[in-house]
Structures are given as structure tokens and as C-alpha cells.
Amino acid sequence: MTLEFDTRFDPAYGQAVTVAPDVRRVTARNPSPFTFHGTNSYLVGRDTLAVIDPGPDDDEHLETLLAAIGGRSVSHIFVSHTHRDHSPLAARLKERTGAPMLAEGPHRPARRLRIGEINPLDASADLGFMPDVALADGSLTQGDGWAMRTVLTPGHTANHAAFALEGTGILFSADHVMAWATSIVAPPDGAMADYMKSLDRLIERGDRLLLPGHGGPVTAPRSFMRGLKMHRKMRERAILERIRGGDRTIRDMVAAIYRDTDPRLHGAAGLSVLAHLEDMVARGLVATEGNPAIDGIFSPAG
């Protein structure tokens, strides 16, 4: 199954773009190799609104959101996860609108740090975020003319959640599934085994349209996500082949497997390889001394 990414996207900075009935997208002006053209915030509803992922702590984006809200009431602020491009503006938006912040929970790693391990992703985490309402898996939040179902999708982060707009077939997939690129899964914040389970869960749901945290919509979700799953399996096989061929370090594997990738992303690529290796060691496919580590030595199991 071929996985084709769609990088066609007009961020329309400073504007609210209608992407579905009673759903508008506002893209923050924070482009980067990790955020594509910027973070997508969504306004849901007609008279009383919900805001999904207010985005980075940015004055321009806040003013654009408030202009798009246009004096209407905001009843809920949903946050998909606690990376600094998604959650920090939630507190300021709450101050301006009075709406509570809803999320799975505060930031936490997918596993505990091991002795001597440093989390390279601390700078990207919004460690100060605390939701007013903690959302359980499957919980339904009722709004004015809309209802939002929480679908927990750990993997990219431990507290990652997607939000399904009930009765529409629309899922706000945040960073779990995006049309323009694969999601970064980087230990200890994320875990590959969790990501794959969450991906299977979304495939089974059968939503008709995914609205992601970066870039444009995923218009054929089931086939695209099956392609994502195959892509991850192929990456796992490539890692195993490199190890069987003599590579022993993540640095060597990244140099070979990601040779056509922007060098600015090689650090993230190394963490992605580590995520695969953690899963492969747990499944008995790869061996290493002690726990899998970014600077570890890996060899074929058995």
C-alpha cells in the first residue's frame, strides 16, 4: 500500500477558513520543519463555540482567534496534548473568554526516565498546563448544537487525545494523523507501541474526515491510516535489516535510513528509531545491554 503525503496547504494567516459546516480553522504563524506551516486551531459551533488547540503563546494568533470568535461566547477550550505549539495559549484564551480548559491531563512522559537519562524534549513540553476538566476516554462533552467525544490516542505524547464531532464523521486528529507527514514518536514522551494501538483504533472507527493539528485535512482516513501503519512496519523492517547488516548504533541507522531527510530532523529521526527499538526489544526482535538508549549498542536477537 503506497502512502502519499499531501503538502498542498494554504495557511491563510490572519483568517478563519471554513473547513466543514460550523467548523473553521485558524493557522498560527509558527512554521517550522516540525509544525509545517503552523499549528491549526479550530472553532466549532455557530452561536456558542468550542475552541480546539488554541496553539502557541503568540499575541498575533490570540488576536486572530478573538476576531474569528467575534464576540460570541466560548463554552469549552479543548487541548489535544501539551506540546508548546498546541496548549500554551489556552490559559490566555480562558482569561479572555471564561471558558474552561479540557484535556486528558497535564504533561507526562510515556515512561519514567531511566537513571542518567535526560529528556531531550523537555523544551517542547508545556509543563505548566493543567486542565480544568480531565477528559476520560469516550467521554461526551455537550455544547450548543454540537457534542464532542474524546478519543484517547497516546503515542505522540502520553496524554494525546483526538476529538470526534458527534454525528458528523469528523475527527480532530491533532498530531496523531496528519496528511503532510508522519507523526513524531519520540521516547520518553511518546511510545511506538502506544502509537500503533491508537492508530488501529482510529482505523476501526471509520471516520470520514480528519482535521489535523498541522496541514490540510485527511480526506480518505481509513486508507491513509492503513498506509501509515504499513509505513511504520516498513521502517521497522529497515531498522532490523540495518542491524542484521552490521549497524549497531542509532546514529548509523539514521544516516542510512534518513539520508534523504532534512538534516534538521535527524535528531527527531534518531528518537523515532529509538521508539521502534524500544518496541522491538520488548518483542524480542532486537537485543541490547540493559534498557534501549539513544546511545545504546544494538544487535539481532538470538
Side-chain angles (χ1 to χ4, degrees):
M1 183 177 296
T2 302
L3 178 61
E4 295 184 1
F5 295 113
D6 186 355
T7 58
R8 298 168 298 173
F9 182 68
D10 178 5
Y13 296 129
Q15 303 176 41
V17 178
T18 298
V19 292
D22 295 332
V23 179
R24 293 187 295 162
R25 182 189 69 226
V26 179
T27 303
R29 199 188 302 265
N30 62 327
S32 78
F34 297 97
T35 61
F36 196 35
H37 289 286
T39 302
N40 293 332
S41 303
Y42 293 96
L43 308 181
V44 179
R46 186 172 301 172
D47 298 319
T48 302
L49 306 178
V51 177
I52 299 175
D53 280 352
D57 188 3
D58 179 84
D59 292 343
E60 178 188 357
H61 190 53
L62 176 61
E63 293 308 314
T64 301
L65 284 174
L66 291 173
I69 290 166
R72 289 172 291 179
S73 296
V74 176
S75 59
H76 301 79
I77 300 170
F78 292 91
V79 173
S80 66
H81 65 294
T82 45
H83 278 159
R84 297 184 68 83
D85 57 325
H86 286 261
S87 57
L89 199 61
R92 292 177 65 187
L93 188 62
K94 174 185 174 180
E95 289 177 0
R96 299 291 291 269
T97 65
M101 303 181 296
L102 299 85
E104 188 272 353
H107 193 81
R108 67 181 190 281
R111 59 164 173 77
R112 292 182 178 180
L113 285 175
R114 293 160 183 151
I115 294 174
E117 185 179 20
I118 297 173
N119 185 354
L121 301 176
D122 270 350
S124 67
D126 182 7
L127 300 177
F129 177 83
M130 180 64 68
D132 299 302
V133 179
L135 295 171
D137 188 41
S139 61
L140 187 66
T141 303
Q142 296 281 356
D144 180 13
W146 55 264
M148 202 75 70
R149 180 83 62 183
T150 298
V151 184
L152 296 187
T153 49
H156 176 65
T157 60
N159 66 353
H160 195 284
F163 303 111
L165 189 57
E166 286 285 283
T168 68
I170 295 173
L171 181 86
F172 298 92
S173 57
D175 284 9
H176 192 73
V177 178
M178 301 175 289
W180 73 283
T182 58
S183 176
I184 294 173
V185 181
D189 272 21
M192 188 60 67
D194 291 344
Y195 179 86
M196 296 299 283
K197 289 176 184 176
S198 296
L199 191 59
D200 281 338
R201 184 178 188 199
L202 293 192
I203 291 171
E204 292 170 2
R205 280 184 52 84
D207 295 293
R208 68 174 181 83
L209 181 69
L210 305 188
L211 297 176
H214 307 276
V218 179
T219 56
R222 184 167 281 174
S223 61
F224 183 78
M225 287 189 287
R226 285 173 176 158
L228 278 179
K229 184 176 180 179
M230 180 65 68
H231 174 83
R232 296 287 184 177
K233 292 293 185 182
M234 290 174 63
R235 183 55 44 81
E236 179 182 290
R237 286 197 294 271
I239 292 169
L240 192 56
E241 288 173 3
R242 296 303 309 179
I243 292 173
R244 287 172 175 167
D247 284 357
R248 292 292 175 262
T249 68
I250 289 176
R251 181 186 294 273
D252 288 342
M253 297 177 215
V254 169
I257 297 171
Y258 292 89
R259 58 183 175 273
D260 297 325
T261 299
D262 185 336
R264 292 175 295 174
L265 299 177
H266 278 197
L271 291 170
S272 180
V273 171
L274 175 60
H276 276 289
L277 287 167
E278 285 189 342
D279 184 38
M280 294 164 76
V281 168
R283 289 157 53 204
L285 298 175
V286 173
T288 189
E289 184 174 346
N291 293 310
I294 194 70
D295 57 354
I297 304 298
F298 299 90
S299 60

mmCIF file with all atom_site columns, all heavy atoms in Angstrom, residues 267-294:
data_model
loop_
_atom_site.group_PDB
_atom_site.id
_atom_site.type_symbol
_atom_site.label_atom_id
_atom_site.label_alt_id
_atom_site.label_comp_id
_atom_site.label_asym_id
_atom_site.label_entity_id
_atom_site.label_seq_id
_atom_site.pdbx_PDB_ins_code
_atom_site.Cartn_x
_atom_site.Cartn_y
_atom_site.Cartn_z
_atom_site.occupancy
_atom_site.B_iso_or_equiv
_atom_site.pdbx_formal_charge
_atom_site.auth_seq_id
_atom_site.auth_comp_id
_atom_site.auth_asym_id
_atom_site.auth_atom_id
_atom_site.pdbx_PDB_model_num
ATOM 1   N N   . GLY A 1 267 ? 17.819 14.605  14.473 1.00 0.00 ? 267 GLY A N   1
ATOM 2   C CA  . GLY A 1 267 ? 17.690 14.364  15.908 1.00 0.00 ? 267 GLY A CA  1
ATOM 3   C C   . GLY A 1 267 ? 16.366 13.709  16.243 1.00 0.00 ? 267 GLY A C   1
ATOM 4   O O   . GLY A 1 267 ? 16.308 12.728  17.007 1.00 0.00 ? 267 GLY A O   1
ATOM 5   N N   . ALA A 1 268 ? 15.279 14.241  15.662 1.00 0.00 ? 268 ALA A N   1
ATOM 6   C CA  . ALA A 1 268 ? 13.956 13.647  15.865 1.00 0.00 ? 268 ALA A CA  1
ATOM 7   C C   . ALA A 1 268 ? 13.893 12.252  15.252 1.00 0.00 ? 268 ALA A C   1
ATOM 8   O O   . ALA A 1 268 ? 13.261 11.346  15.803 1.00 0.00 ? 268 ALA A O   1
ATOM 9   C CB  . ALA A 1 268 ? 12.882 14.536  15.256 1.00 0.00 ? 268 ALA A CB  1
ATOM 10  N N   . ALA A 1 269 ? 14.570 12.066  14.112 1.00 0.00 ? 269 ALA A N   1
ATOM 11  C CA  . ALA A 1 269 ? 14.599 10.749  13.471 1.00 0.00 ? 269 ALA A CA  1
ATOM 12  C C   . ALA A 1 269 ? 15.273 9.726   14.391 1.00 0.00 ? 269 ALA A C   1
ATOM 13  O O   . ALA A 1 269 ? 14.838 8.575   14.487 1.00 0.00 ? 269 ALA A O   1
ATOM 14  C CB  . ALA A 1 269 ? 15.319 10.822  12.139 1.00 0.00 ? 269 ALA A CB  1
ATOM 15  N N   . GLY A 1 270 ? 16.347 10.147  15.059 1.00 0.00 ? 270 GLY A N   1
ATOM 16  C CA  . GLY A 1 270 ? 17.014 9.247   15.989 1.00 0.00 ? 270 GLY A CA  1
ATOM 17  C C   . GLY A 1 270 ? 16.099 8.819   17.114 1.00 0.00 ? 270 GLY A C   1
ATOM 18  O O   . GLY A 1 270 ? 16.094 7.638   17.521 1.00 0.00 ? 270 GLY A O   1
ATOM 19  N N   . LEU A 1 271 ? 15.284 9.750   17.624 1.00 0.00 ? 271 LEU A N   1
ATOM 20  C CA  . LEU A 1 271 ? 14.338 9.397   18.678 1.00 0.00 ? 271 LEU A CA  1
ATOM 21  C C   . LEU A 1 271 ? 13.239 8.478   18.153 1.00 0.00 ? 271 LEU A C   1
ATOM 22  O O   . LEU A 1 271 ? 12.757 7.595   18.866 1.00 0.00 ? 271 LEU A O   1
ATOM 23  C CB  . LEU A 1 271 ? 13.736 10.667  19.284 1.00 0.00 ? 271 LEU A CB  1
ATOM 24  C CG  . LEU A 1 271 ? 14.716 11.522  20.096 1.00 0.00 ? 271 LEU A CG  1
ATOM 25  C CD1 . LEU A 1 271 ? 14.091 12.861  20.450 1.00 0.00 ? 271 LEU A CD1 1
ATOM 26  C CD2 . LEU A 1 271 ? 15.145 10.792  21.361 1.00 0.00 ? 271 LEU A CD2 1
ATOM 27  N N   . SER A 1 272 ? 12.858 8.679   16.889 1.00 0.00 ? 272 SER A N   1
ATOM 28  C CA  . SER A 1 272 ? 11.869 7.789   16.284 1.00 0.00 ? 272 SER A CA  1
ATOM 29  C C   . SER A 1 272 ? 12.425 6.374   16.150 1.00 0.00 ? 272 SER A C   1
ATOM 30  O O   . SER A 1 272 ? 11.721 5.386   16.417 1.00 0.00 ? 272 SER A O   1
ATOM 31  C CB  . SER A 1 272 ? 11.453 8.333   14.915 1.00 0.00 ? 272 SER A CB  1
ATOM 32  O OG  . SER A 1 272 ? 10.494 7.493   14.300 1.00 0.00 ? 272 SER A OG  1
ATOM 33  N N   . VAL A 1 273 ? 13.691 6.267   15.736 1.00 0.00 ? 273 VAL A N   1
ATOM 34  C CA  . VAL A 1 273 ? 14.324 4.947   15.663 1.00 0.00 ? 273 VAL A CA  1
ATOM 35  C C   . VAL A 1 273 ? 14.379 4.323   17.057 1.00 0.00 ? 273 VAL A C   1
ATOM 36  O O   . VAL A 1 273 ? 14.126 3.124   17.224 1.00 0.00 ? 273 VAL A O   1
ATOM 37  C CB  . VAL A 1 273 ? 15.736 5.056   15.050 1.00 0.00 ? 273 VAL A CB  1
ATOM 38  C CG1 . VAL A 1 273 ? 16.485 3.734   15.175 1.00 0.00 ? 273 VAL A CG1 1
ATOM 39  C CG2 . VAL A 1 273 ? 15.628 5.452   13.573 1.00 0.00 ? 273 VAL A CG2 1
ATOM 40  N N   . LEU A 1 274 ? 14.703 5.131   18.065 1.00 0.00 ? 274 LEU A N   1
ATOM 41  C CA  . LEU A 1 274 ? 14.707 4.617   19.436 1.00 0.00 ? 274 LEU A CA  1
ATOM 42  C C   . LEU A 1 274 ? 13.325 4.096   19.832 1.00 0.00 ? 274 LEU A C   1
ATOM 43  O O   . LEU A 1 274 ? 13.212 3.048   20.477 1.00 0.00 ? 274 LEU A O   1
ATOM 44  C CB  . LEU A 1 274 ? 15.158 5.704   20.408 1.00 0.00 ? 274 LEU A CB  1
ATOM 45  C CG  . LEU A 1 274 ? 15.107 5.334   21.901 1.00 0.00 ? 274 LEU A CG  1
ATOM 46  C CD1 . LEU A 1 274 ? 15.991 4.128   22.202 1.00 0.00 ? 274 LEU A CD1 1
ATOM 47  C CD2 . LEU A 1 274 ? 15.510 6.531   22.765 1.00 0.00 ? 274 LEU A CD2 1
ATOM 48  N N   . ALA A 1 275 ? 12.262 4.802   19.423 1.00 0.00 ? 275 ALA A N   1
ATOM 49  C CA  . ALA A 1 275 ? 10.905 4.346   19.733 1.00 0.00 ? 275 ALA A CA  1
ATOM 50  C C   . ALA A 1 275 ? 10.643 2.976   19.115 1.00 0.00 ? 275 ALA A C   1
ATOM 51  O O   . ALA A 1 275 ? 10.071 2.085   19.747 1.00 0.00 ? 275 ALA A O   1
ATOM 52  C CB  . ALA A 1 275 ? 9.880  5.361   19.230 1.00 0.00 ? 275 ALA A CB  1
ATOM 53  N N   . HIS A 1 276 ? 11.074 2.804   17.866 1.00 0.00 ? 276 HIS A N   1
ATOM 54  C CA  . HIS A 1 276 ? 10.932 1.492   17.234 1.00 0.00 ? 276 HIS A CA  1
ATOM 55  C C   . HIS A 1 276 ? 11.746 0.438   17.985 1.00 0.00 ? 276 HIS A C   1
ATOM 56  O O   . HIS A 1 276 ? 11.272 -0.685  18.224 1.00 0.00 ? 276 HIS A O   1
ATOM 57  C CB  . HIS A 1 276 ? 11.396 1.561   15.780 1.00 0.00 ? 276 HIS A CB  1
ATOM 58  C CG  . HIS A 1 276 ? 10.364 2.053   14.827 1.00 0.00 ? 276 HIS A CG  1
ATOM 59  N ND1 . HIS A 1 276 ? 9.252  1.310   14.468 1.00 0.00 ? 276 HIS A ND1 1
ATOM 60  C CD2 . HIS A 1 276 ? 10.277 3.221   14.129 1.00 0.00 ? 276 HIS A CD2 1
ATOM 61  C CE1 . HIS A 1 276 ? 8.525  1.989   13.604 1.00 0.00 ? 276 HIS A CE1 1
ATOM 62  N NE2 . HIS A 1 276 ? 9.129  3.149   13.381 1.00 0.00 ? 276 HIS A NE2 1
ATOM 63  N N   . LEU A 1 277 ? 12.980 0.796   18.359 1.00 0.00 ? 277 LEU A N   1
ATOM 64  C CA  . LEU A 1 277 ? 13.853 -0.175  19.017 1.00 0.00 ? 277 LEU A CA  1
ATOM 65  C C   . LEU A 1 277 ? 13.324 -0.565  20.400 1.00 0.00 ? 277 LEU A C   1
ATOM 66  O O   . LEU A 1 277 ? 13.446 -1.722  20.805 1.00 0.00 ? 277 LEU A O   1
ATOM 67  C CB  . LEU A 1 277 ? 15.270 0.378   19.119 1.00 0.00 ? 277 LEU A CB  1
ATOM 68  C CG  . LEU A 1 277 ? 16.039 0.408   17.796 1.00 0.00 ? 277 LEU A CG  1
ATOM 69  C CD1 . LEU A 1 277 ? 17.300 1.253   17.919 1.00 0.00 ? 277 LEU A CD1 1
ATOM 70  C CD2 . LEU A 1 277 ? 16.393 -1.019  17.353 1.00 0.00 ? 277 LEU A CD2 1
ATOM 71  N N   . GLU A 1 278 ? 12.742 0.368   21.124 1.00 0.00 ? 278 GLU A N   1
ATOM 72  C CA  . GLU A 1 278 ? 12.134 0.016   22.410 1.00 0.00 ? 278 GLU A CA  1
ATOM 73  C C   . GLU A 1 278 ? 11.069 -1.060  22.212 1.00 0.00 ? 278 GLU A C   1
ATOM 74  O O   . GLU A 1 278 ? 11.012 -2.049  22.965 1.00 0.00 ? 278 GLU A O   1
ATOM 75  C CB  . GLU A 1 278 ? 11.515 1.253   23.060 1.00 0.00 ? 278 GLU A CB  1
ATOM 76  C CG  . GLU A 1 278 ? 12.512 2.213   23.664 1.00 0.00 ? 278 GLU A CG  1
ATOM 77  C CD  . GLU A 1 278 ? 11.864 3.318   24.475 1.00 0.00 ? 278 GLU A CD  1
ATOM 78  O OE1 . GLU A 1 278 ? 10.646 3.550   24.306 1.00 0.00 ? 278 GLU A OE1 1
ATOM 79  O OE2 . GLU A 1 278 ? 12.561 3.947   25.277 1.00 0.00 ? 278 GLU A OE2 1
ATOM 80  N N   . ASP A 1 279 ? 10.244 -0.875  21.198 1.00 0.00 ? 279 ASP A N   1
ATOM 81  C CA  . ASP A 1 279 ? 9.190  -1.835  20.901 1.00 0.00 ? 279 ASP A CA  1
ATOM 82  C C   . ASP A 1 279 ? 9.779  -3.160  20.419 1.00 0.00 ? 279 ASP A C   1
ATOM 83  O O   . ASP A 1 279 ? 9.333  -4.243  20.828 1.00 0.00 ? 279 ASP A O   1
ATOM 84  C CB  . ASP A 1 279 ? 8.257  -1.238  19.843 1.00 0.00 ? 279 ASP A CB  1
ATOM 85  C CG  . ASP A 1 279 ? 7.065  -2.127  19.528 1.00 0.00 ? 279 ASP A CG  1
ATOM 86  O OD1 . ASP A 1 279 ? 6.524  -2.753  20.453 1.00 0.00 ? 279 ASP A OD1 1
ATOM 87  O OD2 . ASP A 1 279 ? 6.678  -2.209  18.348 1.00 0.00 ? 279 ASP A OD2 1
ATOM 88  N N   . MET A 1 280 ? 10.811 -3.100  19.583 1.00 0.00 ? 280 MET A N   1
ATOM 89  C CA  . MET A 1 280 ? 11.397 -4.318  19.027 1.00 0.00 ? 280 MET A CA  1
ATOM 90  C C   . MET A 1 280 ? 12.167 -5.123  20.077 1.00 0.00 ? 280 MET A C   1
ATOM 91  O O   . MET A 1 280 ? 12.155 -6.351  20.049 1.00 0.00 ? 280 MET A O   1
ATOM 92  C CB  . MET A 1 280 ? 12.297 -3.946  17.845 1.00 0.00 ? 280 MET A CB  1
ATOM 93  C CG  . MET A 1 280 ? 11.520 -3.358  16.665 1.00 0.00 ? 280 MET A CG  1
ATOM 94  S SD  . MET A 1 280 ? 12.555 -2.482  15.460 1.00 0.00 ? 280 MET A SD  1
ATOM 95  C CE  . MET A 1 280 ? 13.306 -3.885  14.608 1.00 0.00 ? 280 MET A CE  1
ATOM 96  N N   . VAL A 1 281 ? 12.817 -4.430  21.006 1.00 0.00 ? 281 VAL A N   1
ATOM 97  C CA  . VAL A 1 281 ? 13.476 -5.132  22.110 1.00 0.00 ? 281 VAL A CA  1
ATOM 98  C C   . VAL A 1 281 ? 12.439 -5.812  22.991 1.00 0.00 ? 281 VAL A C   1
ATOM 99  O O   . VAL A 1 281 ? 12.593 -6.967  23.399 1.00 0.00 ? 281 VAL A O   1
ATOM 100 C CB  . VAL A 1 281 ? 14.349 -4.159  22.926 1.00 0.00 ? 281 VAL A CB  1
ATOM 101 C CG1 . VAL A 1 281 ? 14.809 -4.801  24.233 1.00 0.00 ? 281 VAL A CG1 1
ATOM 102 C CG2 . VAL A 1 281 ? 15.562 -3.712  22.117 1.00 0.00 ? 281 VAL A CG2 1
ATOM 103 N N   . ALA A 1 282 ? 11.339 -5.107  23.283 1.00 0.00 ? 282 ALA A N   1
ATOM 104 C CA  . ALA A 1 282 ? 10.271 -5.678  24.112 1.00 0.00 ? 282 ALA A CA  1
ATOM 105 C C   . ALA A 1 282 ? 9.661  -6.913  23.456 1.00 0.00 ? 282 ALA A C   1
ATOM 106 O O   . ALA A 1 282 ? 9.226  -7.839  24.152 1.00 0.00 ? 282 ALA A O   1
ATOM 107 C CB  . ALA A 1 282 ? 9.194  -4.627  24.371 1.00 0.00 ? 282 ALA A CB  1
ATOM 108 N N   . ARG A 1 283 ? 9.647  -6.942  22.127 1.00 0.00 ? 283 ARG A N   1
ATOM 109 C CA  . ARG A 1 283 ? 9.067  -8.081  21.401 1.00 0.00 ? 283 ARG A CA  1
ATOM 110 C C   . ARG A 1 283 ? 10.097 -9.162  21.091 1.00 0.00 ? 283 ARG A C   1
ATOM 111 O O   . ARG A 1 283 ? 9.785  -10.149 20.442 1.00 0.00 ? 283 ARG A O   1
ATOM 112 C CB  . ARG A 1 283 ? 8.427  -7.575  20.106 1.00 0.00 ? 283 ARG A CB  1
ATOM 113 C CG  . ARG A 1 283 ? 7.161  -6.763  20.351 1.00 0.00 ? 283 ARG A CG  1
ATOM 114 C CD  . ARG A 1 283 ? 6.845  -5.813  19.208 1.00 0.00 ? 283 ARG A CD  1
ATOM 115 N NE  . ARG A 1 283 ? 6.819  -6.498  17.924 1.00 0.00 ? 283 ARG A NE  1
ATOM 116 C CZ  . ARG A 1 283 ? 7.032  -5.900  16.753 1.00 0.00 ? 283 ARG A CZ  1
ATOM 117 N NH1 . ARG A 1 283 ? 7.314  -4.602  16.715 1.00 0.00 ? 283 ARG A NH1 1
ATOM 118 N NH2 . ARG A 1 283 ? 6.971  -6.581  15.641 1.00 0.00 ? 283 ARG A NH2 1
ATOM 119 N N   . GLY A 1 284 ? 11.336 -8.967  21.509 1.00 0.00 ? 284 GLY A N   1
ATOM 120 C CA  . GLY A 1 284 ? 12.363 -9.993  21.325 1.00 0.00 ? 284 GLY A CA  1
ATOM 121 C C   . GLY A 1 284 ? 12.973 -10.043 19.950 1.00 0.00 ? 284 GLY A C   1
ATOM 122 O O   . GLY A 1 284 ? 13.594 -11.045 19.588 1.00 0.00 ? 284 GLY A O   1
ATOM 123 N N   . LEU A 1 285 ? 12.838 -8.954  19.160 1.00 0.00 ? 285 LEU A N   1
ATOM 124 C CA  . LEU A 1 285 ? 13.401 -8.938  17.813 1.00 0.00 ? 285 LEU A CA  1
ATOM 125 C C   . LEU A 1 285 ? 14.834 -8.416  17.790 1.00 0.00 ? 285 LEU A C   1
ATOM 126 O O   . LEU A 1 285 ? 15.608 -8.752  16.886 1.00 0.00 ? 285 LEU A O   1
ATOM 127 C CB  . LEU A 1 285 ? 12.538 -8.057  16.900 1.00 0.00 ? 285 LEU A CB  1
ATOM 128 C CG  . LEU A 1 285 ? 11.082 -8.502  16.693 1.00 0.00 ? 285 LEU A CG  1
ATOM 129 C CD1 . LEU A 1 285 ? 10.337 -7.470  15.867 1.00 0.00 ? 285 LEU A CD1 1
ATOM 130 C CD2 . LEU A 1 285 ? 11.030 -9.870  16.033 1.00 0.00 ? 285 LEU A CD2 1
ATOM 131 N N   . VAL A 1 286 ? 15.170 -7.577  18.765 1.00 0.00 ? 286 VAL A N   1
ATOM 132 C CA  . VAL A 1 286 ? 16.478 -6.932  18.832 1.00 0.00 ? 286 VAL A CA  1
ATOM 133 C C   . VAL A 1 286 ? 16.995 -7.050  20.256 1.00 0.00 ? 286 VAL A C   1
ATOM 134 O O   . VAL A 1 286 ? 16.220 -7.050  21.217 1.00 0.00 ? 286 VAL A O   1
ATOM 135 C CB  . VAL A 1 286 ? 16.376 -5.444  18.402 1.00 0.00 ? 286 VAL A CB  1
ATOM 136 C CG1 . VAL A 1 286 ? 17.698 -4.720  18.624 1.00 0.00 ? 286 VAL A CG1 1
ATOM 137 C CG2 . VAL A 1 286 ? 15.950 -5.337  16.942 1.00 0.00 ? 286 VAL A CG2 1
ATOM 138 N N   . ALA A 1 287 ? 18.328 -7.145  20.394 1.00 0.00 ? 287 ALA A N   1
ATOM 139 C CA  . ALA A 1 287 ? 18.948 -7.244  21.715 1.00 0.00 ? 287 ALA A CA  1
ATOM 140 C C   . ALA A 1 287 ? 19.802 -6.012  21.992 1.00 0.00 ? 287 ALA A C   1
ATOM 141 O O   . ALA A 1 287 ? 20.349 -5.392  21.070 1.00 0.00 ? 287 ALA A O   1
ATOM 142 C CB  . ALA A 1 287 ? 19.822 -8.501  21.803 1.00 0.00 ? 287 ALA A CB  1
ATOM 143 N N   . THR A 1 288 ? 19.892 -5.639  23.258 1.00 0.00 ? 288 THR A N   1
ATOM 144 C CA  . THR A 1 288 ? 20.783 -4.578  23.713 1.00 0.00 ? 288 THR A CA  1
ATOM 145 C C   . THR A 1 288 ? 21.091 -4.826  25.170 1.00 0.00 ? 288 THR A C   1
ATOM 146 O O   . THR A 1 288 ? 20.352 -5.552  25.858 1.00 0.00 ? 288 THR A O   1
ATOM 147 C CB  . THR A 1 288 ? 20.130 -3.188  23.509 1.00 0.00 ? 288 THR A CB  1
ATOM 148 O OG1 . THR A 1 288 ? 21.099 -2.175  23.768 1.00 0.00 ? 288 THR A OG1 1
ATOM 149 C CG2 . THR A 1 288 ? 18.941 -2.994  24.429 1.00 0.00 ? 288 THR A CG2 1
ATOM 150 N N   . GLU A 1 289 ? 22.183 -4.247  25.638 1.00 0.00 ? 289 GLU A N   1
ATOM 151 C CA  . GLU A 1 289 ? 22.535 -4.420  27.043 1.00 0.00 ? 289 GLU A CA  1
ATOM 152 C C   . GLU A 1 289 ? 21.767 -3.404  27.876 1.00 0.00 ? 289 GLU A C   1
ATOM 153 O O   . GLU A 1 289 ? 21.853 -2.205  27.645 1.00 0.00 ? 289 GLU A O   1
ATOM 154 C CB  . GLU A 1 289 ? 24.039 -4.225  27.238 1.00 0.00 ? 289 GLU A CB  1
ATOM 155 C CG  . GLU A 1 289 ? 24.496 -4.496  28.672 1.00 0.00 ? 289 GLU A CG  1
ATOM 156 C CD  . GLU A 1 289 ? 25.998 -4.434  28.824 1.00 0.00 ? 289 GLU A CD  1
ATOM 157 O OE1 . GLU A 1 289 ? 26.693 -4.441  27.796 1.00 0.00 ? 289 GLU A OE1 1
ATOM 158 O OE2 . GLU A 1 289 ? 26.467 -4.371  29.972 1.00 0.00 ? 289 GLU A OE2 1
ATOM 159 N N   . GLY A 1 290 ? 21.001 -3.893  28.834 1.00 0.00 ? 290 GLY A N   1
ATOM 160 C CA  . GLY A 1 290 ? 20.174 -3.009  29.646 1.00 0.00 ? 290 GLY A CA  1
ATOM 161 C C   . GLY A 1 290 ? 18.974 -2.519  28.865 1.00 0.00 ? 290 GLY A C   1
ATOM 162 O O   . GLY A 1 290 ? 18.473 -3.190  27.949 1.00 0.00 ? 290 GLY A O   1
ATOM 163 N N   . ASN A 1 291 ? 18.513 -1.328  29.207 1.00 0.00 ? 291 ASN A N   1
ATOM 164 C CA  . ASN A 1 291 ? 17.370 -0.744  28.521 1.00 0.00 ? 291 ASN A CA  1
ATOM 165 C C   . ASN A 1 291 ? 17.802 -0.091  27.212 1.00 0.00 ? 291 ASN A C   1
ATOM 166 O O   . ASN A 1 291 ? 18.917 0.410   27.095 1.00 0.00 ? 291 ASN A O   1
ATOM 167 C CB  . ASN A 1 291 ? 16.717 0.325   29.405 1.00 0.00 ? 291 ASN A CB  1
ATOM 168 C CG  . ASN A 1 291 ? 16.076 -0.262  30.648 1.00 0.00 ? 291 ASN A CG  1
ATOM 169 O OD1 . ASN A 1 291 ? 15.316 -1.216  30.554 1.00 0.00 ? 291 ASN A OD1 1
ATOM 170 N ND2 . ASN A 1 291 ? 16.396 0.291   31.802 1.00 0.00 ? 291 ASN A ND2 1
ATOM 171 N N   . PRO A 1 292 ? 16.946 -0.084  26.201 1.00 0.00 ? 292 PRO A N   1
ATOM 172 C CA  . PRO A 1 292 ? 17.268 0.619   24.957 1.00 0.00 ? 292 PRO A CA  1
ATOM 173 C C   . PRO A 1 292 ? 17.565 2.092   25.238 1.00 0.00 ? 292 PRO A C   1
ATOM 174 O O   . PRO A 1 292 ? 16.843 2.739   26.010 1.00 0.00 ? 292 PRO A O   1
ATOM 175 C CB  . PRO A 1 292 ? 16.011 0.462   24.107 1.00 0.00 ? 292 PRO A CB  1
ATOM 176 C CG  . PRO A 1 292 ? 15.310 -0.735  24.662 1.00 0.00 ? 292 PRO A CG  1
ATOM 177 C CD  . PRO A 1 292 ? 15.604 -0.722  26.128 1.00 0.00 ? 292 PRO A CD  1
ATOM 178 N N   . ALA A 1 293 ? 18.617 2.615   24.640 1.00 0.00 ? 293 ALA A N   1
ATOM 179 C CA  . ALA A 1 293 ? 19.008 4.001   24.886 1.00 0.00 ? 293 ALA A CA  1
ATOM 180 C C   . ALA A 1 293 ? 19.468 4.623   23.576 1.00 0.00 ? 293 ALA A C   1
ATOM 181 O O   . ALA A 1 293 ? 19.880 3.923   22.636 1.00 0.00 ? 293 ALA A O   1
ATOM 182 C CB  . ALA A 1 293 ? 20.136 4.062   25.916 1.00 0.00 ? 293 ALA A CB  1
ATOM 183 N N   . ILE A 1 294 ? 19.396 5.953   23.516 1.00 0.00 ? 294 ILE A N   1
ATOM 184 C CA  . ILE A 1 294 ? 19.754 6.670   22.294 1.00 0.00 ? 294 ILE A CA  1
ATOM 185 C C   . ILE A 1 294 ? 21.211 6.406   21.907 1.00 0.00 ? 294 ILE A C   1
ATOM 186 O O   . ILE A 1 294 ? 21.568 6.425   20.729 1.00 0.00 ? 294 ILE A O   1
ATOM 187 C CB  . ILE A 1 294 ? 19.473 8.183   22.455 1.00 0.00 ? 294 ILE A CB  1
ATOM 188 C CG1 . ILE A 1 294 ? 19.521 8.882   21.099 1.00 0.00 ? 294 ILE A CG1 1
ATOM 189 C CG2 . ILE A 1 294 ? 20.418 8.808   23.447 1.00 0.00 ? 294 ILE A CG2 1
ATOM 190 C CD1 . ILE A 1 294 ? 18.390 8.567   20.172 1.00 0.00 ? 294 ILE A CD1 1
#
